[in-house]
Amino acid sequence: MRCPKCHHNSSRVVDSRQTDDGRTIRRRRECENCGFRFTTFEKIEAAPLLVIKKNGEREEFNREKILRGLIRSAEKRPVAMEQMEQIVDHVENRVRSLGENEVSTTLIGEYVMEDLVDVDEIAYIRFASVYRQFKDMSVFLKELQDIVAKANGKDTTE
């Protein structure tokens, strides 16, 4: 592993431990040349996962796109970056655990919204308005009523 400080190619592992999700190993390293300590993360390389977009096109799964959407929806809201990254991690884990090579953007969006509604309702509405492409106010109002009912402990699907 190349040292980020002196760019020497030899380092030794000082400490290794699994991250919370158990899918990544965190390694603390020390450069054998300059003694600088740094952290690396090691992940299992998963098989490529294709996302089927609404127009039928396919592209490789990109967690950064989900994170960008979350950042935009949570702008000026009290949602920590760590919370958004946890949502992305959870969504990616759910999608990969399906065992499929292809997944629709619809399913990914639903997974994101399931997690986001519990973090911040305003960010959820913002994300849903873009994701679901509300056609008119009645659809938007219905979504708001569902959130209010959920907050009050009622089910509006009856």
Short mmCIF file of all heavy atoms in Angstrom, two decimals, residues 23 44-50 60-61 92 96 99-102:
data_model
loop_
_atom_site.label_atom_id
_atom_site.label_comp_id
_atom_site.label_asym_id
_atom_site.label_seq_id
_atom_site.Cartn_x
_atom_site.Cartn_y
_atom_site.Cartn_z
N ARG A 23 -18.87 -6.18 6.32
CA ARG A 23 -18.51 -6.39 4.92
C ARG A 23 -17.22 -5.67 4.54
O ARG A 23 -16.75 -5.81 3.43
CB ARG A 23 -19.65 -5.88 4.02
CG ARG A 23 -20.95 -6.63 4.23
CD ARG A 23 -22.03 -6.04 3.40
NE ARG A 23 -21.66 -6.02 2.01
CZ ARG A 23 -22.40 -6.43 1.02
NH1 ARG A 23 -23.58 -6.89 1.26
NH2 ARG A 23 -21.98 -6.36 -0.22
N ILE A 44 -14.99 -6.59 -0.16
CA ILE A 44 -15.13 -7.65 -1.14
C ILE A 44 -15.64 -7.02 -2.42
O ILE A 44 -16.58 -6.22 -2.39
CB ILE A 44 -16.14 -8.72 -0.65
CG1 ILE A 44 -15.59 -9.41 0.58
CG2 ILE A 44 -16.46 -9.70 -1.76
CD1 ILE A 44 -16.58 -10.36 1.23
N GLU A 45 -15.03 -7.37 -3.52
CA GLU A 45 -15.48 -6.82 -4.80
C GLU A 45 -16.71 -7.61 -5.24
O GLU A 45 -16.64 -8.80 -5.51
CB GLU A 45 -14.38 -6.92 -5.86
CG GLU A 45 -14.75 -6.22 -7.13
CD GLU A 45 -13.60 -6.18 -8.11
OE1 GLU A 45 -12.52 -6.71 -7.81
OE2 GLU A 45 -13.80 -5.61 -9.19
N ALA A 46 -17.81 -6.93 -5.26
CA ALA A 46 -19.07 -7.56 -5.62
C ALA A 46 -19.22 -7.61 -7.13
O ALA A 46 -18.63 -6.81 -7.86
CB ALA A 46 -20.23 -6.78 -5.00
N ALA A 47 -20.01 -8.56 -7.58
CA ALA A 47 -20.29 -8.67 -9.01
C ALA A 47 -20.97 -7.39 -9.47
O ALA A 47 -21.70 -6.75 -8.71
CB ALA A 47 -21.19 -9.86 -9.27
N PRO A 48 -20.75 -6.99 -10.72
CA PRO A 48 -21.38 -5.76 -11.19
C PRO A 48 -22.90 -5.86 -11.10
O PRO A 48 -23.48 -6.90 -11.40
CB PRO A 48 -20.94 -5.64 -12.65
CG PRO A 48 -20.04 -6.77 -12.93
CD PRO A 48 -19.96 -7.64 -11.73
N LEU A 49 -23.49 -4.79 -10.66
CA LEU A 49 -24.93 -4.72 -10.50
C LEU A 49 -25.44 -3.66 -11.47
O LEU A 49 -24.97 -2.53 -11.45
CB LEU A 49 -25.28 -4.34 -9.06
CG LEU A 49 -26.74 -4.17 -8.71
CD1 LEU A 49 -27.49 -5.48 -8.89
CD2 LEU A 49 -26.88 -3.68 -7.28
N LEU A 50 -26.38 -4.05 -12.33
CA LEU A 50 -26.93 -3.11 -13.30
C LEU A 50 -28.26 -2.57 -12.80
O LEU A 50 -29.06 -3.29 -12.20
CB LEU A 50 -27.13 -3.79 -14.65
CG LEU A 50 -25.86 -4.24 -15.35
CD1 LEU A 50 -26.20 -4.91 -16.68
CD2 LEU A 50 -24.91 -3.07 -15.60
N GLU A 60 -24.45 0.83 -14.68
CA GLU A 60 -23.89 0.21 -13.48
C GLU A 60 -24.38 0.93 -12.24
O GLU A 60 -24.53 2.16 -12.23
CB GLU A 60 -22.36 0.23 -13.54
CG GLU A 60 -21.73 -0.73 -12.56
CD GLU A 60 -20.26 -0.99 -12.84
OE1 GLU A 60 -19.83 -0.84 -14.00
OE2 GLU A 60 -19.57 -1.34 -11.89
N PHE A 61 -24.66 0.16 -11.18
CA PHE A 61 -25.09 0.72 -9.91
C PHE A 61 -24.05 1.72 -9.42
O PHE A 61 -22.86 1.44 -9.43
CB PHE A 61 -25.26 -0.40 -8.88
CG PHE A 61 -25.67 0.09 -7.52
CD1 PHE A 61 -26.99 0.37 -7.23
CD2 PHE A 61 -24.72 0.26 -6.52
CE1 PHE A 61 -27.37 0.82 -5.97
CE2 PHE A 61 -25.08 0.71 -5.26
CZ PHE A 61 -26.41 0.98 -4.98
N GLU A 92 -27.80 -0.23 -0.50
CA GLU A 92 -26.91 -1.08 -1.30
C GLU A 92 -26.90 -2.51 -0.79
O GLU A 92 -26.97 -3.46 -1.58
CB GLU A 92 -25.50 -0.52 -1.33
CG GLU A 92 -24.56 -1.35 -2.20
CD GLU A 92 -23.16 -0.81 -2.33
OE1 GLU A 92 -22.79 0.14 -1.60
OE2 GLU A 92 -22.42 -1.34 -3.19
N ARG A 96 -28.10 -5.68 -3.03
CA ARG A 96 -27.16 -6.78 -3.31
C ARG A 96 -27.63 -8.10 -2.69
O ARG A 96 -27.37 -9.16 -3.24
CB ARG A 96 -25.76 -6.42 -2.83
CG ARG A 96 -25.15 -5.31 -3.68
CD ARG A 96 -23.65 -5.23 -3.56
NE ARG A 96 -23.09 -4.13 -4.31
CZ ARG A 96 -22.78 -4.16 -5.60
NH1 ARG A 96 -22.99 -5.25 -6.30
NH2 ARG A 96 -22.27 -3.10 -6.20
N GLY A 99 -29.60 -10.84 -4.63
CA GLY A 99 -28.93 -11.86 -5.43
C GLY A 99 -29.18 -11.73 -6.93
O GLY A 99 -28.91 -12.65 -7.68
N GLU A 100 -29.67 -10.59 -7.35
CA GLU A 100 -29.96 -10.36 -8.77
C GLU A 100 -28.82 -9.56 -9.40
O GLU A 100 -28.13 -8.83 -8.72
CB GLU A 100 -31.26 -9.56 -8.92
CG GLU A 100 -32.48 -10.23 -8.31
CD GLU A 100 -32.93 -11.46 -9.08
OE1 GLU A 100 -32.74 -11.49 -10.32
OE2 GLU A 100 -33.45 -12.38 -8.44
N ASN A 101 -28.66 -9.70 -10.71
CA ASN A 101 -27.66 -8.91 -11.44
C ASN A 101 -28.21 -7.57 -11.90
O ASN A 101 -27.46 -6.67 -12.24
CB ASN A 101 -27.16 -9.67 -12.67
CG ASN A 101 -26.39 -10.91 -12.28
OD1 ASN A 101 -25.82 -10.98 -11.20
ND2 ASN A 101 -26.38 -11.89 -13.16
N GLU A 102 -29.54 -7.46 -11.94
CA GLU A 102 -30.20 -6.23 -12.37
C GLU A 102 -31.30 -5.87 -11.39
O GLU A 102 -31.98 -6.74 -10.86
CB GLU A 102 -30.82 -6.41 -13.76
CG GLU A 102 -29.80 -6.65 -14.84
CD GLU A 102 -30.44 -6.78 -16.22
OE1 GLU A 102 -31.66 -7.00 -16.31
OE2 GLU A 102 -29.71 -6.66 -17.21
#
